Amino acid sequence: MKIFTAAREKMVEHQLEDRGIKDIKVLYAMRKVARHLFVTEALQSRAYEDCPLPIGENQTISQPYMVAYMTEALELKSSDIVLEIGTGSGYQSAVLAEIVRQVYSIERIKDLLARARKVFDELDYTNIATKNFDGTYGWKEKSPFDAIIVTAASPDIPEPLIEQLAVGGRLVIPVGNTSSQILKRVRKSEKGIEIEELCGCVFVKLIGKYGWGEDDNNSKGYLIH
Ligand code: SAH
């Protein structure tokens, strides 16, 4: 069985460090997590390429740089409790689990979650709890969260996620239409929330009560010029 150590090291140096990822906890996790184990065998040789890859059910595992960038933007501490919406392959959850105390991850597609869960168990990630549900509701029983990451594109910031963020907490989410978005960071303080725009990005749709409808295609009032 190939272990791809050299490919992973090259990915971290050229795709992450050379492009400005600096957080040592993020670089450590990206060096450690075996991305090829989160894709099908046919795609394993491409797992360290600079692009997203299909994971089935019309969904994708994000580009390594985007995973690292979003993780860095969360400004994580080892004692943090993190909520992820969109488990997908489980790769982003594993990267988070290398850094923080506990990860809660929600995925709406049952088969994807079952596959991710199997990998978590094989790799012994005991600090990732998952749920098959609409993540736009958040996970109230486990809140408040120090950080929340949404790995699918939303027309707006779901209100329950803001509510479930701890004071001092950070939420990172792609917001926009279904073809392109802006990655936003929300910070919650005693005084309220502050929203920053980080960069442009492209994600698959966040589908749910506070996201897009199943068949929506920019039907929530976004104009494309
Ligand atoms: N973090 C993933 C990226 C997966 S792509 C990875 O590292 O592989 C985004 C995922 O969000 C898809 O699997 C999709 O099914 C899921 N998703 C979309 N809307 C959702 C919702 N409302 N709740 C939970 N998951 C959702």
Side-chain angles (χ1 to χ4, degrees):
M1 193 170 64
K2 277 194 85 170
I3 55 170
F4 297 101
T5 314
R8 192 156 58 249
E9 180 57 34
K10 221 168 117 195
M11 178 268 279
V12 172
E13 284 175 22
H14 299 304
Q15 297 173 38
L16 310 185
E17 291 178 320
D18 287 357
R19 291 186 186 143
I21 302 295
K22 287 192 180 67
D23 186 327
I24 51 165
K25 296 188 289 308
V26 176
L27 292 168
Y28 162 82
M30 297 294 293
R31 278 197 164 90
K32 173 139 188 229
V33 180
R35 184 174 160 91
H36 63 279
L37 299 179
F38 294 84
V39 297
T40 56
E41 219 165 315
L43 286 173
Q44 288 199 342
S45 62
R46 298 191 52 204
Y48 299 96
E49 287 181 13
D50 192 13
C51 56
L53 291 171
I55 55 172
E57 310 279 346
N58 284 324
Q59 307 301 322
T60 55
I61 178 172
S62 306
Q63 175 196 22
Y65 175 72
M66 190 47 77
V67 172
Y69 184 88
M70 290 175 87
T71 310
E72 185 169 72
L74 289 172
E75 298 177 352
L76 300 171
K77 295 187 297 295
S78 55
S79 56
D80 281 351
I81 296 181
V82 181
L83 174 67
E84 177 191 26
I85 315 300
T87 317
S89 67
Y91 176 65
Q92 171 76 72
S93 334
V95 168
L96 294 166
E98 291 290 344
I99 301 174
V100 302
R101 179 152 56 110
Q102 178 69 43
V103 177
Y104 293 100
S105 188
I106 310 175
E107 170 56 55
R108 64 182 283 276
I109 301 177
K110 209 172 175 180
D111 288 357
L112 286 181
L113 188 57
R115 235 188 294 151
R117 196 63 261 171
K118 189 162 172 276
V119 183
F120 299 151
D121 294 343
E122 278 163 11
L123 298 178
D124 221 11
Y125 281 112
T126 52
N127 62 339
I128 303 175
T130 55
K131 164 158 111 164
N132 177 220
F133 203 65
D134 171 5
T136 67
Y137 288 97
W139 196 332
K140 199 165 193 302
E141 306 87 298
K142 307 294 182 188
S143 69
F145 301 100
D146 302 298
I148 301 178
I149 179 170
V150 181
T151 62
S154 187
D156 268 310
I157 304 170
E159 198 53 44
L161 302 185
I162 295 178
E163 276 162 23
Q164 293 172 29
L165 199 57
V167 170
R170 295 81 54 202
L171 159 65
V172 171
I173 177 169
V175 179
N177 58 47
T178 53
S179 49
S180 74
Q181 306 89 34
I182 295 183
L183 190 67
K184 296 194 177 183
R185 175 167 54 198
V186 180
R187 286 177 195 278
K188 193 168 183 177
S189 71
E190 300 283 0
K191 288 190 224 126
I193 63 161
E194 185 193 304
I195 304 176
E196 285 165 85
E197 297 193 345
L198 302 178
C199 64
C201 55
V202 179
F203 279 84
V204 297
K205 280 191 292 189
L206 181 73
I207 297 171
K209 171 91 163 79
Y210 300 91
W212 297 97
E214 192 97 39
D215 303 316
D216 271 350
N217 211 356
N218 293 319
S219 61
K220 291 209 173 169
Y222 286 89
L223 291 173
I224 303 177
H225 297 282

